[in-house]
Amino acid sequence: SGAFKKMLYAIVSDIHGNYTAWSAVLEDIRAMGAERIVCLGDIVGYGPEPGRCVQSIRDVAYACILGNHDAVITKKLDSVAFNDHARKLIEWTELQLNPEEVDFLSKLDYELSEDCFRCVHGDCDAPQEFNYIVDCEDASLSWNKTKEQIIFCGHSHIPAIFVVSKETNEKCLIPAQDFTLEEENRYIVNVGSVGSPRDDDLRASYVLFDSQTK
């Protein structure tokens, strides 16, 4: 956990070797004046330029955590967990990465705690298992394991916001939108995917979080 300092964060996830998309997002991040870039994992997998993406994240990110595609490359996750198509792409991706790039991925942690938020690729209940948060029941498992007001995740490639009331425990799922944190609520924000969207919108997705204005 870094020293507390209010600033503008760019939270990105699931680049998946798509350097063209990542370059566009990085240009936008810089234009928006973000001071820290946090990557939620899956830098590699599927896309044609995994090494280039790893090198860029290594150079520009303040912090990065491990995604399941990164984990399988570093042998922290068995490829049996993937379908046949994904396994073929994993084998191809392994051949594209040099030892330094694999070493960078191998040193990534499963979680990050920073300021008032926590970052994870899948969920906070069992980060090393890379489970998906797709409904409020899934979200509850992560809220129960953490104290932070806001959790940022990726993995599903679908932007979403889960909200729970601290007082009533009422939960809801709302579409991705700009919003301000309310003291009486806790949140899980899926930041979507930079390189491989799955929400019927081909545009890259990421989140800006201002830890001063919330």
Side-chain angles (χ1 to χ4, degrees), residues 27-95:
E27 182 179 348
D28 195 66
I29 286 171
R30 286 169 169 162
M32 296 299 288
E35 298 155 283
R36 284 182 175 175
I37 297 172
V38 177
C39 178
L40 306 185
D42 275 5
I43 306 171
V44 304
Y46 301 132
E49 298 183 272
R52 204 173 177 191
C53 291
V54 171
Q55 291 170 21
S56 179
I57 287 293
R58 183 180 60 191
D59 291 343
V60 305
Y62 162 74
C64 183
I65 57 178
L66 192 71
N68 55 309
H69 282 260
D70 310 317
V72 74
I73 292 294
T74 63
K75 312 304 180 187
K76 292 182 179 180
L77 184 67
D78 197 318
S79 63
V80 73
F82 295 79
N83 62 43
D84 291 343
H85 175 67
R87 276 201 298 273
K88 288 179 182 178
L89 290 171
I90 287 164
E91 293 168 2
W92 179 87
T93 298
E94 287 176 328
L95 298 175

Side-chain angles (χ1 to χ4, degrees), residues 122-135:
D123 77 345
C124 295
D125 183 47
Q128 72 282 359
E129 294 181 10
F130 302 106
N131 297 314
Y132 291 92
I133 299 177
V134 296
D135 56 32

